[in-house]
């Protein structure tokens, strides 16, 4: 499928497209035309689609009910995403439960290699993987070894973005500096083209940026939980820091683990551990969900598409998870259009009026 023309998953728009327009300012956004997945945004040395896909569920049985019988559907989902212009995929060496640890990386690498021989498209795919700050990874060399293990699982020659999964500053500050040196080493050895961080709060983000800058290593990205359920002072401060330093913010959990899909209620909960969290938060989300439904109906979109589009309008690259083609199709419907300034204000006001808030990652530092 050619990437130069809209597919059936997107609504058509008219007008010229400025592919170089900046996404960093919410005021400038109002003057920009809609953005398509093949019109890339800057992330360090890369040009990536304005939305990527997360692969947390690929191997996770506990939270997402993964079974190996799902692999053909996952491969079809991957191929459909790539054919429609998505070239950014996020994974981690810790994704996968029990004996399936690392399964997400294995599957992603396999799908890239087997993507119907489309060499040019394979080269265009940007893989961002996260290396866990396990307590036994206490030296730069051990972190480099973790990177080499990920490369072996994915059978890739080089990783796009190597990310530190979380900071240990709150409980093991000496390990933190060793892991920073590990990022530098894997970059200098050419194992990764760029480096990033995940779950870093504003103060620690500034520290690692300055440290890497001294070492001659640019910080490419910062991944954090960022959504209409997670737009508190820390998250917005992180976003402002990223904008000022030229770091691309990657929004994980843009749908609040599914709470912003509009598919669940207090009496209709998902299976597994998520039900406990949903039961606690969903009753306080009525103002926000009602506002999202109103905008979605007016736009002929779904609630989840509006929630993802909000992340894009904020200049971030959201990475909603996908387990099947249907989910990928729905997520792709968040592209090709843009919320208006009035709609952004309406939704954000409703979010502030909703007492329900997403629980922050326990590893996120200040």
């Amino acid at each position: 499928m050619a990437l130069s023309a809209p597919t059936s998953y997107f609504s058509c728009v008219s007008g010229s497209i400025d592919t170089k327009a900046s996404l960093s300012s919410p005021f400038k956004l109002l003057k920009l035309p809609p953005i398509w997945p093949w019109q890339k945004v800057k992330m360090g040395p890369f040009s990536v689609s304005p939305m990527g896909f997360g692969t947390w569920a690929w191997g996770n049985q506990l939270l997402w009910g993964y079974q190996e019988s799902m692999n053909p559907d996952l491969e079809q989902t991957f191929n459909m995403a790539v054919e429609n212009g998505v070239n950014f995929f996020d994974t981690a060496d810790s994704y996968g439960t029990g004996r399936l640890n690392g399964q997400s990386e294995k599957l992603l690498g396999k799908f890239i290699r087997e993507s119907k021989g489309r060499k040019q498209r394979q080269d265009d795919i940007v893989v961002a993987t996260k290396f866990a700050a396990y307590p036994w990874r206490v030296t730069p060399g051990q972190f480099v070894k973790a990177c080499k293990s990920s490369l072996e699982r994915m059978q890739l020659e080089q990783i796009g973005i190597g990310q530190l999964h979380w900071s240990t500053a709150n409980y093991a500050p000496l390990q933190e500096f060793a892991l920073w040196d590990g990022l530098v080493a894997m970059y200098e050895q050419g194992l990764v083209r760029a480096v990033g961080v995940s779950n870093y709060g504003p103060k620690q983000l500034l520290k690692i940026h300055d440290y890497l800058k001294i070492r001659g290593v640019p910080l490419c990205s910062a991944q954090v939980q960022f959504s209409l359920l997670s737009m508190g002072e820390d998250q917005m401060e992180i976003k402002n820091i990223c904008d000022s330093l030229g770091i691309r913010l990657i929004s994980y959990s843009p749908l609040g683990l599914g709470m912003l899909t509009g598919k669940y209620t207090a009496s209709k909960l998902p299976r597994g551990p998520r039900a406990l969290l949903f039961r606690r938060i969903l009753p306080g989300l009525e103002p926000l969900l009602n506002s999202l439904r109103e905008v979605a109906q007016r736009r002929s979109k779904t609630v989840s598409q509006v929630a993802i589009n909000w992340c894009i309008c904020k200049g971030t690259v959201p990475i909603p998870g996908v387990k099947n083609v249907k989910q990928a199709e729905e997520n792709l419907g968040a592209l090709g259009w843009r919320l208006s300034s009035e709609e952004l204000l309406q939704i954000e006001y409703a979010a502030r009026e909703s007492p329900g808030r997403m629980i922050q990652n326990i590893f996120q530092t200040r």
Side-chain angles (χ1 to χ4, degrees):
M1 186 178 298
L3 299 184
S4 59
T7 73
S8 59
Y9 301 126
F10 309 106
S11 55
C12 295
V13 295
S14 60
S16 60
I17 305 293
D18 180 6
T19 59
K20 296 182 180 179
S22 169
L23 295 182
S24 60
S25 168
F27 298 102
K28 292 179 183 177
L29 284 175
L30 309 182
K31 299 178 182 180
L32 294 181
I35 187 165
W36 301 97
W38 47 85
Q39 293 172 270
K40 307 299 189 245
V41 298
K42 194 69 174 172
M43 184 181 291
F46 305 104
S47 294
V48 303
S49 45
M51 176 185 68
F53 280 151
T55 64
W56 182 14
W58 300 10
N60 188 296
Q61 295 176 313
L62 178 65
L63 196 63
W64 300 111
Y66 168 81
Q67 299 295 329
E68 290 182 80
S69 60
M70 298 166 61
N71 290 355
D73 288 338
L74 292 176
E75 185 164 16
Q76 186 180 3
T77 302
F78 170 85
N79 286 329
M80 192 272 286
V82 172
E83 288 168 359
N84 282 276
V86 173
N87 75 330
F88 182 61
F89 294 88
D90 179 82
T91 183
D93 66 357
S94 62
Y95 286 175
T97 50
R99 65 179 181 83
L100 296 172
N101 189 57
Q103 180 77 344
S104 173
E105 288 186 332
K106 291 178 183 177
L107 289 175
L108 182 57
K110 176 178 181 290
F111 298 161
I112 292 172
R113 295 192 309 274
E114 297 179 357
S115 57
K116 302 176 183 178
R118 298 173 181 138
K119 184 66 169 66
Q120 183 177 0
R121 197 169 292 167
Q122 289 178 24
D123 292 341
D124 186 50
I125 292 172
V126 178
V127 173
T129 194
K130 298 180 290 294
F131 308 111
Y134 291 133
W136 56 85
R137 291 177 176 170
V138 294
T139 68
Q142 288 168 324
F143 216 48
V144 169
K145 184 179 179 180
C147 181
K148 291 179 178 178
S149 296
S150 290
L151 281 167
E152 184 176 348
R153 276 189 292 273
M154 291 187 280
Q155 295 185 38
L156 298 176
E157 294 181 1
Q158 189 180 48
I159 290 168
I161 306 174
Q163 306 165 100
L164 179 54
H165 205 153
W166 65 83
S167 168
T168 66
N170 289 342
Y171 61 91
L174 293 180
Q175 182 187 11
E176 175 90 342
F177 289 113
L179 298 182
W180 291 4
D181 286 340
L183 284 178
V184 172
M186 64 179 69
Y187 177 82
E188 290 180 342
Q189 293 179 30
L191 302 176
V192 302
R193 281 193 62 193
V195 301
V197 294
S198 179
N199 296 309
Y200 267 61
K203 289 185 177 179
Q204 206 64 11
L205 179 59
L206 285 171
K207 288 180 181 178
I208 189 171
H209 169 270
D210 292 347
Y211 181 83
L212 292 175
K213 185 177 181 180
I214 292 172
R215 299 293 302 274
V217 180
L219 183 60
C220 168
S221 61
Q223 185 176 149
V224 69
Q225 184 173 229
F226 189 88
S227 72
L228 284 160
L229 287 184
S230 186
M231 48 179 279
E233 290 184 6
D234 276 4
Q235 308 308 90
M236 301 313 294
E237 187 177 352
I238 292 167
K239 176 63 175 59
N240 291 335
I241 290 171
C242 287
D243 289 347
S244 66
L245 296 176
I247 302 167
R248 179 65 66 179
L249 192 145
I250 302 170
S251 310
Y252 76 75
S253 293
L255 297 176
L257 299 181
M259 279 184 279
L260 294 181
T261 63
K263 300 174 183 176
Y264 301 103
T265 65
S267 59
K268 182 185 177 183
L269 299 170
R271 298 177 182 177
R274 283 189 298 161
L276 299 174
L277 182 67
F278 281 38
R279 188 177 290 114
R280 172 180 171 180
I281 297 176
L282 268 175
L285 293 185
E286 279 310 302
L288 174 57
L289 289 174
N290 287 338
S291 180
L292 287 171
R293 291 188 189 103
E294 181 181 332
V295 174
Q297 184 176 9
R298 188 164 63 239
R299 287 282 192 160
S300 297
K301 295 293 179 180
T302 66
V303 169
S304 61
Q305 288 166 354
V306 174
I308 293 172
N309 192 273
W310 178 85
C311 292
I312 295 170
C313 286
K314 289 297 177 182
T316 76
V317 174
I319 48 170
V322 285
K323 293 193 296 182
N324 52 57
V325 168
K326 183 179 179 181
Q327 288 180 348
E329 288 179 350
E330 178 155 336
N331 291 343
L332 285 166
L335 300 171
W337 59 285
R338 192 181 296 278
L339 290 163
S340 69
S341 56
E342 292 79 8
E343 289 168 332
L344 289 170
L345 289 173
Q346 173 189 340
I347 294 170
E348 290 170 14
Y349 175 80
R352 288 191 293 269
E353 290 297 301
S354 297
R357 291 288 184 275
M358 191 67 178
I359 297 174
Q360 293 303 309
N361 193 306
I362 60 171
F363 287 112
Q364 181 172 316
T365 56
R366 175 68 183 106

